[in-house]
Amino acid sequence: MEDFFLKPVVASIIYSLLGFVILLVCYFILEKITPEKSWKEISQNKNTALAIVLGAFILGISFIIGMAIHG
């Protein structure tokens, strides 16, 4: 009976961690291919447009990862 409830919880945790790692890898790839460091540009120079683009990128990649994991 415990296995019935434990298995989905463990799978959910593993897939969440996998999705988070993939999201971080995508973010670091974005940092490597862009000329400016995005976090420095957003925090120090208050670049709102870049913050919106970066947020949209993170949401888009998260959606793709979630759909790929969900099936």
Side-chain angles (χ1 to χ4, degrees):
M1 187 75 168
E2 286 181 25
D3 189 40
F4 179 72
F5 294 110
L6 189 61
K7 201 174 207 178
V9 172
V10 171
S12 177
I13 291 170
I14 290 172
Y15 285 132
S16 297
L17 290 174
L18 179 65
F20 186 71
V21 168
I22 292 171
L23 179 64
L24 284 177
V25 168
C26 290
Y27 173 74
F28 286 124
I29 289 172
L30 180 72
E31 282 292 314
K32 288 289 186 187
I33 63 174
T34 54
E36 296 288 329
K37 296 297 178 201
S38 60
W39 188 250
K40 178 182 172 195
E41 186 70 25
I42 291 170
S43 63
Q44 291 180 355
N45 297 338
K46 307 291 189 230
N47 191 337
T48 306
L50 182 61
I52 292 170
V53 169
L54 187 63
F57 169 79
I58 290 173
L59 285 174
I61 294 297
S62 298
F63 183 72
I64 292 169
I65 292 168
M67 289 296 108
I69 289 172
H70 187 268

